[in-house]
């Protein structure tokens, strides 16, 4: 009988992201953590030098972030970190409240175990990031939580509407970092919303959405 081959050691999956993907993620993170402030100009040459890469993938990454809305390209001047004005913040959160209140009602009504499990996992991730003082990670998990909330509504139209608000919400969350939000309070608000959804309490769930978004707008102003 042929000898049985020893079991192969476990291998980590290869990172299949392109260089442009990695650069875009790096710049996105620097915008979110405040290293690249609103209005700051970013140049291909400087980024390429800092990251020790050629200018081609940097150009591709910057174009992608312009399409996302995190960067603004001004002809004959260059590329700048997008600035969102205070009156725009209120409008973004008004639109979010319309979508998220309805999403919360639907999730609380149906109490889908899979949707609730996703939300619960994100709250725990947020709590871990809060304990570590990692605001950029909290902001990303915050976005993921609210996106999962809308996804859990089962409404394709609500999901499409919410996708258009994500980029502007990213910029708003970056602004919240500057007012030093109480990260434990952020976690507590999401946990309270999760509890209301799990209990099937639609009124309490929508009230939690209102409280959370109102606090964010107040902090940003």
């Amino acid at each position: 009988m042929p000898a049985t081959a020893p079991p192969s050691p476990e291998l980590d999956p290869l990172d299949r992201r392109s260089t442009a993907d990695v650069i875009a993620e790096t710049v996105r993170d620097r915008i979110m953590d405040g290293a690249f402030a609103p209005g700051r100009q970013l140049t291909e040459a400087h980024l390429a030098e800092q990251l020790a890469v050629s200018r081609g993938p940097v150009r591709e990454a910057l174009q992608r972030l312009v399409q996302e809305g995190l960067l603004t390209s001004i002809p004959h001047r260059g590329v700048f970190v997008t600035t969102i004005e205070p009156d725009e913040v209120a409008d973004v959160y008004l639109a979010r409240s319309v979508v998220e209140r309805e999403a919360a009602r639907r999730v609380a009504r149906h109490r889908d175990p899979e949707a609730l499990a996703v939300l619960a996992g994100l709250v725990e991730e947020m709590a871990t990031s809060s304990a570590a003082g990692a605001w950029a990670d909290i902001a990303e998990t915050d976005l993921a939580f609210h996106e999962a909330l809308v996804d859990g509504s089962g409404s394709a139209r609500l999901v499409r509407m919410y996708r258009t608000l994500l980029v502007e919400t990213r910029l708003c969350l970056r602004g919240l970092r500057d007012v030093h939000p109480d990260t434990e309070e952020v976690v507590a608000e999401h946990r309270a919303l999760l509890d209301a959804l799990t209990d099937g309490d639609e009124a309490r769930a929508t009230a939690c959405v209102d409280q959370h978004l109102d606090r964010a707008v107040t902090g940003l102003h």
Side-chain angles (χ1 to χ4, degrees):
M1 294 179 61
T4 302
S8 300
E10 292 186 2
L11 299 175
D12 293 329
L14 296 176
D15 189 342
R16 297 181 181 275
R17 296 179 302 169
S18 68
T19 303
D21 290 334
V22 176
I23 295 170
E25 181 178 335
T26 300
V27 175
R28 190 184 295 113
D29 287 346
R30 296 295 75 76
I31 293 172
M32 290 300 296
D33 68 18
F36 293 163
R40 173 171 173 170
Q41 184 174 13
L42 302 182
T43 66
E44 290 178 18
H46 186 230
L47 289 173
E49 181 182 358
Q50 283 194 313
L51 297 171
V53 297
S54 64
R55 292 177 62 169
V58 172
R59 184 180 306 114
E60 181 182 343
L62 293 181
Q63 289 172 348
R64 187 175 307 173
L65 295 174
V66 168
Q67 292 172 348
E68 290 182 13
L70 289 176
L71 298 178
T72 300
S73 178
I74 302 177
H76 311 300
R77 289 189 56 197
V79 175
F80 301 82
V81 178
T82 299
T83 299
I84 188 164
E85 301 300 332
D87 58 333
E88 295 176 305
V89 170
D91 204 37
V92 169
Y93 276 78
L94 172 62
R96 280 188 61 185
S97 70
V98 172
V99 175
E100 291 190 40
R101 282 173 58 87
E102 180 56 30
R105 273 194 287 265
R106 289 173 176 243
V107 173
R109 188 178 309 147
H110 299 296
R111 288 194 287 179
D112 177 67
E114 185 175 345
L116 292 172
V118 170
L119 293 169
L122 290 168
V123 169
E124 293 312 313
E125 284 185 35
M126 204 178 301
T128 300
S129 297
S130 174
W135 170 246
D137 291 340
I138 294 171
E140 282 299 317
T141 311
D142 188 318
L143 279 176
F145 179 95
H146 291 276
E147 189 173 3
L149 173 66
V150 178
D151 286 345
S153 71
S155 168
R157 286 177 176 79
L158 284 180
V159 170
R160 285 199 298 270
M161 291 166 65
Y162 199 70
R163 292 287 187 271
T164 66
L165 298 169
L166 284 178
V167 170
E168 292 172 309
T169 300
R170 278 184 183 277
L171 294 169
C172 293
L173 287 173
R174 202 228 68 85
L176 271 179
R177 175 187 176 278
D178 295 337
V179 297
H180 306 292
D182 184 337
T183 58
E184 291 184 2
E185 183 179 357
V186 173
V187 175
E189 288 176 355
H190 286 84
R191 201 179 295 282
L193 173 54
L194 174 63
D195 289 344
L197 297 170
T198 303
D199 293 342
D201 191 330
E202 296 180 35
R204 182 154 53 96
T206 56
C208 286
V209 169
D210 288 341
Q211 179 185 10
H212 176 62
L213 297 182
D214 287 348
R215 182 198 57 77
V217 172
T218 299
L220 286 163
H221 277 294

